[in-house]
Amino acid sequence: MKTLTHDELKSLTEWEKGPCVSIYLPRHQAVSELGKDSIELRNRLDEAETSLQQMGLGTAEAAQFLKPARMLQNDPSFWKQGAAQGLCLLMAPEMFQQYDLPYQCPPMLSVAETFYLSPLFYKAYEDDRFDLLAICPNSVRMIRHQNGDFTEVELPENIPAHLDDFAGGIELEESLQYHTTSSGSQGGEFAGVQHGHGLTKEQHEKVLTDYYQFLARQFDQYLEDNAPPLVLVCAEKQQSLFRKHFHGSQLLPDGVTTSPDQLSARELVDLALPVAESSFQTSLHKAQEKFQNHMGTSRISHQLEEILQSAEQGRVEALFAPLGSELWGHLPQDGELLQTHAQPESGDIALLNWAIRNTYRHGGTPYVIQPDDMPDQHSVLASFRW
């Protein structure tokens, strides 16, 4: 399942080359209902084709515009039961994006000059991200967890894949003597020098100490300051070796004390998740608290007209809107009163979506959340930077 990144969200909010077709569908999970989803998509695509023609596209041009989505609609293998609970399709000239969503999204079709993006911000700021670093003499693996999914991270060349790479081919089980010296060889800062005598216990310890010290320094440089929390998975003695030389704030004080050598990525994530969860402090929770602290001041508002104007000016620090909620209307001109509709009328735009896009484009944080999580019971809420 593809995870939507914030870089992609930013690109989508800035896309203004229309027409733009946005389709959201909740996916049925019961085997007996799987066929309903392709039928629902077909109906939405038929509606989109009519709307595109009304916007001036010819019959053949509109059909070509929707061709990638039609191919997906007619692909039986796609509609088999899977992990995705929702589907998002975004189409524009020379652009087609498909996102399989890990949550049920309300159905929506939008054909406009910009994309309808509100549902994509649901759970976008749930801080379940963490990195998992699994180290043993036979392997170095880094796994990134986000939005309930995980992927293995490809590490740079200056981080050895295992002890063998670091020590220039030495294996601890072999009868070789080893010491380290500065070198520009593949081993990086350290290179192995081998002798035909058995390793003493002290030499074994020296090799491992140098190895974990080197890894700690390399990861210290590799991880960015804003990297997610890091869970270390390795044997107890190696935990202390690594921690002694790693100084980044990302490393959680508790790790998983076991050898990761024979564990799959899924097994490692399952072990690390309880450790990582203890560090999660969601961005949403902090924003809700901040909103409550400013109640009764000019720093917060539930007036849509004020919020729309402030979002365009870049004043909105945090915006709250319920998932599945939308108001339609025209952007008011000077002196006009804002009139909204529950359903779109001719010439209307999706006003909450407009506010969300502009909040995000100007560096604010839009929270699309469940109605019960709204800090106050209104259709939209905002806290301002000033």
Side-chain angles (χ1 to χ4, degrees):
M1 183 185 299
K2 181 180 180 181
T3 300
L4 181 66
T5 67
H6 280 278
D7 285 342
E8 289 175 288
L9 271 174
K10 188 172 189 301
S11 175
L12 292 172
T13 60
E14 294 173 348
W15 187 280
E16 293 184 343
K17 185 179 179 182
C20 299
V21 175
S22 311
I23 296 176
Y24 294 86
L25 293 177
R27 296 283 302 269
H28 290 86
Q29 300 301 303
V31 175
S32 59
E33 297 182 307
L34 293 182
K36 295 181 179 179
D37 295 336
S38 62
I39 295 173
E40 182 65 24
L41 179 57
R42 182 192 66 196
N43 294 338
R44 295 289 178 175
L45 290 172
D46 289 346
E47 294 175 39
E49 192 164 345
T50 299
S51 297
L52 288 170
Q53 291 173 9
Q54 291 171 348
M55 294 176 72
L57 272 67
T59 303
E61 190 179 4
Q64 183 65 27
F65 190 103
L66 300 173
K67 185 177 179 180
R70 292 288 190 190
M71 293 174 64
L72 196 66
Q73 170 213 324
N74 294 315
D75 181 2
S77 63
F78 175 77
W79 300 106
K80 292 181 179 178
Q81 192 173 24
Q85 298 185 53
L87 174 65
C88 167
L89 299 179
L90 303 178
M91 289 160 277
E94 302 177 2
M95 197 271 261
F96 174 78
Q97 289 287 352
Q98 170 202 331
Y99 296 104
D100 298 316
L101 307 177
Y103 51 86
Q104 289 273 315
C105 56
M108 166 64 74
L109 166 66
S110 169
V111 182
E113 292 303 315
T114 58
F115 288 121
Y116 190 85
L117 301 174
S118 296
L120 294 183
F121 283 93
Y122 182 61
K123 294 184 177 293
Y125 294 96
E126 285 192 357
D127 295 340
D128 70 341
R129 298 184 308 144
F130 69 89
D131 288 338
L132 178 162
L133 181 58
I135 305 175
C136 65
N138 292 327
S139 66
V140 178
R141 288 180 286 169
M142 187 170 175
I143 298 167
R144 179 152 293 168
H145 178 279
Q146 184 174 4
N147 295 335
D149 198 11
F150 62 90
T151 55
E152 195 136 359
V153 177
E154 185 176 349
L155 296 173
E157 292 183 356
N158 64 337
I159 295 179
H162 43 68
L163 178 61
D164 224 17
D165 282 353
F166 166 75
I170 192 171
E171 295 181 6
L172 293 185
E173 292 76 17
E174 293 181 354
S175 296
L176 293 171
Q177 186 176 351
Y178 173 87
H179 69 268
T180 59
T181 183
S182 297
S183 171
S185 67
Q186 185 179 357
E189 250 179 82
F190 301 97
V193 179
Q194 303 172 17
H195 303 279
H197 304 286
L199 280 172
T200 65
K201 180 180 178 181
E202 290 75 17
Q203 289 164 338
H204 275 268
E205 297 296 329
K206 174 65 171 142
V207 172
L208 285 175
T209 299
D210 288 347
Y211 176 53
Y212 282 89
Q213 177 180 335
F214 180 72
L215 287 176
R217 289 208 302 262
Q218 295 302 98
F219 276 103
D220 231 346
Q221 297 172 14
Y222 169 64
L223 295 174
E224 298 178 356
D225 291 339
N226 62 348
L230 179 66
V231 179
L232 181 61
V233 182
C234 62
E236 183 175 3
K237 191 167 186 177
Q238 281 69 53
Q239 288 268 349
S240 60
L241 283 173
F242 186 90
R243 291 174 183 278
K244 183 178 180 180
H245 299 283
F246 183 89
H247 304 295
S249 60
Q250 306 92 337
L251 185 60
L252 296 179
D254 295 324
V256 177
T257 305
T258 187
S259 174
D261 192 21
Q262 302 298 321
L263 299 176
S264 67
R266 175 77 268 175
E267 290 170 325
L268 288 169
V269 169
D270 289 343
L271 287 173
L273 191 55
V275 177
E277 283 176 342
S278 65
S279 74
F280 293 161
Q281 220 179 357
T282 67
S283 169
L284 171 60
H285 180 68
K286 294 177 185 177
Q288 288 168 324
E289 285 187 344
K290 193 170 184 178
F291 184 93
Q292 295 295 339
N293 291 337
H294 287 124
M295 287 285 283
T297 74
S298 60
R299 291 283 299 277
I300 64 173
S301 176
H302 60 80
Q303 300 295 329
L304 179 57
E305 188 167 357
E306 181 183 15
I307 292 171
L308 290 170
Q309 184 180 33
S310 299
E312 189 172 26
Q313 295 170 346
R315 287 183 58 214
V316 177
E317 181 178 47
L319 183 79
F320 304 89
L323 178 66
S325 176
E326 189 54 83
L327 293 171
W328 306 83
H330 297 270
L331 292 173
Q333 303 300 317
D334 291 340
E336 287 185 345
L337 293 176
L338 177 66
Q339 295 185 350
T340 62
H341 314 122
Q343 298 296 326
E345 298 183 5
S346 177
D348 281 357
I349 67 167
L351 296 172
L352 298 188
N353 182 69
W354 191 93
I356 287 169
R357 288 181 62 250
N358 277 283
T359 294
Y360 194 71
R361 291 173 69 178
H362 290 288
T365 306
Y367 297 98
V368 176
I369 54 183
Q370 291 293 337
D372 290 345
D373 291 328
M374 292 287 288
D376 203 355
Q377 296 306 306
H378 291 92
S379 58
V380 62
L381 297 164
S383 61
F384 302 134
R385 292 189 170 103
W386 68 87

